[in-house]
Amino acid sequence: INYLPENLFRIHIRNSIEPAAHLPTTYQPTMSSSEEAAASTRVSDDERPMSRSSGHDEGITESSSPSSPPSPSSYACASPKIHDGENRPDDTATREHGNHHDDDDDVDDANGEEIDAATLEMMMAFQERQDRLGNDEARNGDDDNDYNGNAGVADDDNDDDDDLHPRLEFLDQYGDLEGDDDADGVVEDAPPDGPPDLDADADADANANDADADHTAPIVIATGFVATSSEGVPTTLKRSGSDYSATIFAKVTHASRVTMWKNTDGVYTADPRRVPEAFSISSLKYDEAMELAYFGAQVLHPLAMVPCIDSNIPVYVRNIFNPAFEGTVIQGRCASLSEVNKDGKVVNWRSKRGVIPIKGITSVDRVSLLTLEGASVIGGAEVAERFMGSMADAGINVLMVTQASSESSITVVVPEDQGKKALGALRSTFELELSRSNVNAISLTDTPMSIVAIVGEGMAMNSGVSASFMSSLAKANVNIRVIAQGSSERQVAVVVAGEDTSRALRAAHMAFTLSQTTCSVVILGGTGKLGSALIRQLNAQKESLKKNLNLGVCVSAIASRKKMIMGESSGLCLSTSADVDEMLTGEKAKDLDMEALTAMLEADVNPHRVVVDCTNDDGIAGFYERWMSSGINVISPGRRAGAGPLSRYDAIREAQRANSAEWQYESSVGAALPILTTLRDLLQTGDEVQRLRGCVSGTMAYVFRTMDEDTPFSEAVRQAMEKDFTENDVREDLSGYDATRKIVVLARELGLNVSMEDVEVESLLPDDIRNKEYEGDTEAMRAAVIEDLKALDGPMLERWREARRDDRELRYKFVIDVATGKCSCKLSAVDSKDTLYRLRNNENLVAFETTRYTTSPLIVKGAAAGPELAAAGIFADLLRLGRAFSTSQT
């Protein structure tokens, strides 16, 4: 059985050396002379006898025993676009996720062979005849008291009149669908006095199998979706009715398979419109497919598979635009709970390397929560009975039910369009109790909600599945309103806010490694030295991250001081391999608008959103609290937020804790050195930090390591600037301003409420240089600063000589005394016993004096100046976030 998109399906019958054993098709339509001429020219392999052998064509299933009648074979086949005016709701998925056929206009079968024009003409002529019968004659009527239905015309006698509708002719020969117990009352078009009673013919199937296939048509093309009720009233089978028609025919004809041709590559792990990383599932059990369909999978409908279950007829879902793709096969039943629980052994799903416990993730949109609270006075059993009874009496479709352990509160999930009706029914049922305050409240949510469900047979007897699901939603900042798990352990469903649905689907999809963990990253300051270095490193490591960490980095927006460029749609990745400067001066670039950028971040459905702030802008730091309140993570190598106003710092911290967002700023102190990580580890393991000391200025380290009799102070500073060790304005380094901000970050990490003005700092610059307004571009400004610094060469050389006379070295040293809360930073002459004595070039050093490290301090030391090292620190912060997001199997 092949279901074709425009509500048509066809049944293929193959002849063999045993023609009497084949199930025939039953109807050859009456055609006009031109139609007969077209049909008579049809000669194809489908009509020729095929001897039974061990070599099978693709898509052919035959009996293994020559003595037993083979099942009808089903072929994958494309069909011409024959429109019958019906708008199929289940075939509206975007075609972007399926591969279209070749550019030519030929229609090919599954083996890539062209279907001849005569075949197409015959099919189109047949459809035209159906349209004529279903429209012209249905409108005009005739003198024989025919029953005129929407889908065709049927005589109320059972002769072989040419006006007999092909589906009724088919049913007339093969048996009444309603008479088949497994068909559950599904009836095709029938006369008003009811369908013909063919149950009396006990040998209907045998008669069909004994028919001579050589004298019957090899293909039956029938219209799906339409039917009549048991009273003979024209009706439809509603959503996926054509799928249902196909599986009903498959059951009554004992077909070997059913192929449903869609416009996607089978059943997907999630809706590809919401989860771009979704992919086709190779196989499903009937139970899994029905669970997915029940919870909103648009490709299938739960009822469509019911006729195939008892006979275990495989259902194939394939792409008519990509017939070479195998698609999804649905067959077999899941093990029952008693079978699964036989060994009683529970294992964590992550221990089964490479085995994913779920098959797919789906959602039901536009639902409402109806809650009855505080009915303990009535009694739990009575509350539940009356609650559900009121829903049934009102005809409410209850999708989920949860009940409090006290049995006094119940919440049900109902379709949004039935919410007010359900609320009215429940209030009417408990009207007396509400008036006596025996029921606290009955409420209905007034905001759009959605059900998100994970489905899979592998969930049973595997621990950690629900934990992974819930944890992924928590990390995506998605609030869960209702939780329900099916007793079959094949699905877990939650209710979330409608606006969070796509983010929840993507988070769960990543959590079970159905797709790689992807971070959606916005880079601010992307054209600066630091931002450019970061982009280069991301590009270089892209494949390594995907291969080794199952982590993807999607740069969704880049901004400079004045311009920004964003993906064409929310979450769309930019090509960072292109020249960023050119991108930000191109047509797609816009003026920097932090409000618009923030709106894009908030609308991004990726659950793992990250802002990397490579700027030194205090205005941007003001957005941190808002971003974290929306669950957006922040990486800030700059120190504007970490060392800024204490009130803002506290507000950011509170937003971070309240929304499970991450704020990574390791790179703000020691570039790629793990200074803050080490400090946190000491504190969290119970060690007591008493004192921190060292040097956190790579610029100062280089200057005083390089300066000597032949290299004056101004020249050493010029060399540091040339090597990109300094800030953009070198005066921030020489005045101690940059080092002070780092000291404040460290002190606050220690729990000290310290601000910039609380640090005792020595500036190496006189006020006239520190406060001077320089004109010109960056290079001109730097040259002017160096020229002014020459006035300091003499005094600085004298301090260097004085230190050398005592066998000491000049170092820009900081000290944080936790006990007193005092912080200082000044130029000191250190002896050989000091850890700073051997500080090299652009190194940073921090010594941790704690209650555990008493005889010798714990020292973190290494190179920490320059954009490449700083970018490496940012990259490390991003990887820490990626590892926190990822729940890959180990």
Side-chain angles (χ1 to χ4, degrees):
I1 306 292
N2 279 265
Y3 158 65
L4 303 174
E6 299 300 332
N7 306 320
L8 300 175
F9 58 86
R10 68 186 199 174
I11 307 168
H12 295 254
I13 312 299
R14 293 300 298 252
N15 294 337
S16 75
I17 57 175
E18 298 174 322
H22 278 271
L23 181 68
T25 55
T26 63
Y27 181 72
Q28 179 66 45
T30 301
M31 303 180 184
S32 65
S33 58
S34 60
E35 292 171 347
E36 290 177 349
S40 64
T41 62
R42 181 179 183 272
V43 179
S44 70
D45 290 340
D46 284 0
E47 294 179 301
R48 299 190 183 115
M50 171 181 170
S51 60
R52 302 167 74 173
S53 64
S54 58
H56 296 167
D57 289 346
E58 181 183 356
I60 301 174
T61 304
E62 299 200 46
S63 172
S64 60
S65 171
S67 61
S68 62
S71 300
S73 301
S74 175
Y75 285 73
C77 149
S79 86
K81 295 289 289 183
I82 304 176
H83 294 276
D84 62 0
E86 178 195 345
N87 181 18
R88 283 189 46 76
D90 55 320
D91 283 333
T92 57
T94 176
R95 295 182 179 178
E96 294 175 0
H97 304 285
N99 297 325
H100 291 260
H101 52 67
D102 296 337
D103 292 335
D104 57 48
D105 295 326
D106 296 335
V107 181
D108 300 336
D109 64 12
N111 298 319
E113 298 176 357
E114 182 177 333
I115 298 176
D116 57 273
T119 303
L120 301 184
E121 289 178 9
M122 186 196 75
M123 295 173 67
M124 296 175 69
F126 181 71
Q127 176 65 20
E128 290 173 0
R129 180 180 181 278
Q130 285 185 299
D131 291 341
R132 185 170 63 254
L133 289 174
N135 296 319
D136 297 340
E137 294 182 15
R139 286 193 298 269
N140 299 329
D142 56 34
D143 297 329
D144 295 329
N145 295 322
D146 293 344
Y147 164 62
N148 297 318
N150 291 334
V153 179
D155 290 334
D156 57 8
D157 57 11
N158 290 327
D159 59 20
D160 294 327
D161 191 297
D162 286 344
D163 287 339
L164 186 64
H165 193 278
R167 292 196 310 284
L168 292 181
E169 177 86 18
F170 185 90
L171 295 176
D172 193 31
Q173 179 166 346
Y174 284 93
D176 174 21
L177 286 176
E178 191 175 36
D180 189 326
D181 292 339
D182 295 322
D184 290 336
V186 179
V187 183
E188 293 290 330
D189 289 351
D193 56 352
D197 184 7
L198 299 179
D199 287 346
D201 187 1
D203 299 324
D205 290 341
N207 292 340
N209 287 334
D210 290 340
D212 189 352
D214 289 335
H215 299 289
T216 56
I219 296 174
V220 166
I221 301 177
T223 304
F225 187 70
V226 294
T228 61
S229 69
S230 56
E231 291 79 20
V233 178
T235 185
T236 67
L237 299 180
K238 299 186 179 180
R239 183 170 81 84
S240 294
S242 296
D243 296 357
Y244 199 6
S245 304
T247 55
I248 291 171
F249 272 86
K251 179 176 177 61
V252 300
T253 61
H254 308 294
S256 61
R257 63 188 283 176
V258 175
T259 301
M260 297 180 180
W261 291 99
K262 305 287 185 177
N263 57 6
T264 58
D265 288 337
V267 181
Y268 276 67
T269 52
D271 186 342
R273 293 167 296 184
R274 283 178 153 169
V275 184
E277 304 86 2
F279 56 89
S280 178
I281 306 170
S282 60
S283 65
L284 287 168
K285 300 291 181 65
Y286 291 124
D287 307 87
E288 293 173 321
M290 286 191 291
E291 291 277 9
L292 283 172
Y294 177 78
F295 282 106
Q298 294 296 312
V299 178
L300 299 170
H301 191 280
L303 287 178
M305 285 160 285
V306 172
C308 294
I309 292 177
D310 288 342
S311 302
N312 199 29
I313 300 172
V315 177
Y316 291 81
V317 182
R318 302 182 65 185
N319 190 348
I320 196 167
F321 299 108
N322 184 22
F325 190 78
E326 294 181 355
T328 302
V329 59
I330 305 169
Q331 187 177 26
R333 300 300 301 269
C334 294
S336 65
L337 279 178
S338 58
E339 293 171 333
V340 173
N341 295 334
K342 275 183 179 179
D343 61 3
K345 186 178 181 180
V346 178
V347 296
N348 190 282
W349 74 272
R350 295 182 184 281
S351 65
K352 300 178 179 180
R353 186 175 180 84
V355 178
I356 307 300
I358 70 170
K359 288 294 183 68
I361 303 156
T362 187
S363 64
V364 179
D365 295 330
R366 295 184 296 277
V367 301
S368 296
L369 303 183
L370 178 62
T371 302
L372 181 147
E373 301 177 75
S376 56
V377 176
I378 305 173
E382 184 181 350
V383 170
E385 179 183 0
R386 293 174 61 188
F387 191 116
M388 300 309 296
S390 69
M391 295 296 99
D393 293 342
I396 304 300
N397 180 22
V398 177
L399 303 175
M400 287 171 56
V401 182
T402 62
Q403 186 171 7
S405 58
S406 63
E407 299 184 346
S408 63
S409 298
I410 300 177
T411 296
V412 297
V413 183
V414 300
E416 190 177 62
D417 57 0
Q418 295 183 357
K420 292 183 179 179
K421 182 180 178 182
L423 178 63
L426 197 59
R427 283 178 173 169
S428 177
T429 300
F430 290 93
E431 182 177 5
L432 182 60
E433 287 78 6
L434 284 168
S435 65
R436 295 177 177 176
S437 298
N438 291 338
V439 171
N440 288 352
I442 296 177
S443 60
L444 179 73
T445 54
D446 55 1
T447 56
M449 310 294 289
S450 296
I451 299 174
V452 176
I454 57 173
V455 176
E457 182 185 19
M459 295 167 60
M461 301 301 288
N462 283 311
S463 64
V465 176
S466 294
S468 297
F469 183 31
M470 306 305 168
S471 177
S472 68
L473 299 185
K475 291 176 181 176
N477 200 35
V478 174
N479 182 44
I480 298 172
R481 298 289 300 271
V482 173
I483 303 173
Q485 178 169 355
S487 57
S488 64
E489 294 190 51
R490 282 191 290 270
Q491 59 87 6
V492 175
V494 300
V495 176
V496 303
E499 61 185 6
D500 293 333
T501 308
S502 295
R503 186 175 299 117
L505 288 169
R506 293 193 69 179
H509 202 268
M510 294 178 191
F512 290 98
T513 64
L514 294 174
S515 59
Q516 70 176 8
T517 300
T518 301
C519 299
S520 182
V521 179
V522 171
I523 300 177
L524 305 178
T527 57
K529 293 178 180 179
L530 183 54
S532 299
L534 174 62
I535 292 173
R536 286 195 300 271
Q537 292 180 18
L538 289 175
N539 289 335
Q541 292 298 111
K542 183 180 296 184
E543 292 303 318
S544 176
L545 294 177
K546 181 178 179 180
K547 179 180 178 181
N548 299 323
L549 297 178
N550 195 35
L551 177 67
V553 176
C554 168
V555 178
S556 57
I558 301 175
S560 63
R561 289 184 177 181
K562 297 182 179 180
K563 293 287 185 177
M564 67 179 186
I565 184 169
M566 300 183 291
E568 294 180 0
S569 61
S570 179
L572 185 66
C573 303
L574 296 173
S575 175
T576 53
S577 58
D579 187 282
V580 175
D581 288 309
E582 290 183 6
M583 292 169 61
L584 287 169
T585 55
E587 295 180 354
K588 295 182 179 180
K590 303 176 181 178
D591 291 338
L592 179 61
D593 183 343
M594 291 304 299
E595 287 293 337
L597 194 63
T598 299
M600 183 275 291
L601 278 164
E602 292 172 341
D604 189 352
V605 297
N606 191 311
H608 310 313
R609 298 161 293 168
V610 182
V611 174
V612 179
D613 180 14
C614 297
T615 72
N616 199 21
D617 192 316
D618 198 65
I620 291 177
F623 279 87
Y624 285 14
E625 180 186 357
R626 177 176 170 184
W627 290 337
M628 292 186 196
S629 296
S630 299
I632 300 167
N633 308 280
V634 177
I635 297 175
S636 56
R639 293 160 285 278
R640 289 288 184 176
L646 192 58
S647 59
R648 184 174 67 187
Y649 174 85
D650 291 337
I652 294 172
R653 281 296 195 188
E654 180 59 31
Q656 177 195 358
R657 287 189 292 266
N659 297 278
S660 299
E662 294 288 339
W663 181 18
Q664 295 287 339
Y665 49 92
E666 176 73 77
S667 55
S668 67
V669 174
L673 295 179
I675 295 173
L676 290 176
T677 299
T678 302
L679 178 57
R680 290 168 186 155
D681 289 343
L682 291 172
L683 295 173
Q684 291 169 7
T685 56
D687 201 354
E688 183 180 344
V689 178
Q690 299 170 338
R691 195 165 179 256
L692 294 184
R693 54 184 174 85
C695 176
V696 287
S697 173
T699 300
M700 292 294 204
Y702 181 86
V703 167
F704 291 108
R705 181 73 181 184
T706 305
M707 178 183 157
D708 55 22
E709 294 282 358
D710 300 322
T711 307
F713 174 73
S714 60
E715 175 58 22
V717 172
R718 189 195 64 78
Q719 291 181 20
M721 293 170 61
E722 196 173 65
K723 293 178 181 292
D724 282 332
F725 290 166
T726 68
E727 294 293 312
N728 290 331
D729 186 347
V730 70
R731 292 178 296 174
E732 291 188 5
D733 296 294
L734 300 179
S735 65
Y737 185 77
D738 182 61
T740 301
R741 289 185 298 185
K742 295 179 181 179
I743 293 167
V744 170
V745 171
L746 286 170
R748 289 178 176 177
E749 202 71 26
L750 285 166
L752 302 177
N753 291 328
V754 173
S755 297
M756 293 278 290
E757 53 271 18
D758 298 322
V759 180
E760 182 184 343
V761 58
E762 178 186 358
S763 172
L764 304 184
L765 299 178
D767 291 342
D768 60 333
I769 296 178
R770 185 170 58 183
N771 299 325
K772 184 176 180 179
E773 293 289 338
Y774 290 93
E775 297 180 354
D777 58 16
T778 302
E779 293 301 321
M781 186 193 74
R782 287 186 168 187
V785 170
I786 294 298
E787 189 65 28
D788 288 345
L789 288 178
K790 291 180 180 179
L792 302 178
D793 288 346
M796 295 307 299
L797 180 60
E798 184 59 34
R799 293 186 67 172
W800 179 84
R801 288 172 175 170
E802 184 179 347
R804 279 302 183 93
R805 282 195 294 268
D806 296 333
D807 198 20
R808 294 171 179 264
E809 296 287 350
L810 289 178
R811 298 291 183 259
Y812 200 67
K813 182 177 179 178
F814 82 91
V815 176
I816 301 176
D817 191 318
V818 179
T820 62
K822 292 184 178 181
C823 306
S824 63
C825 184
K826 58 185 179 181
L827 187 62
S828 303
V830 300
D831 58 24
S832 58
K833 295 180 180 180
D834 196 300
T835 52
L836 290 175
Y837 185 81
R838 294 175 179 82
L839 195 68
R840 299 176 182 175
N841 292 336
N842 63 334
E843 288 182 337
N844 278 191
L845 182 150
V846 175
F848 299 83
E849 298 179 7
T850 73
T851 54
R852 291 175 183 165
Y853 291 89
T854 54
T855 57
S856 178
L858 173 63
I859 296 174
V860 176
K861 175 186 175 184
E868 292 298 329
L869 286 174
I874 299 170
F875 202 166
D877 281 340
L878 183 58
L879 290 182
R880 271 187 281 273
L881 283 178
R883 284 191 287 267
F885 298 151
S886 178
T887 54
S888 301
Q889 296 187 62
T890 57

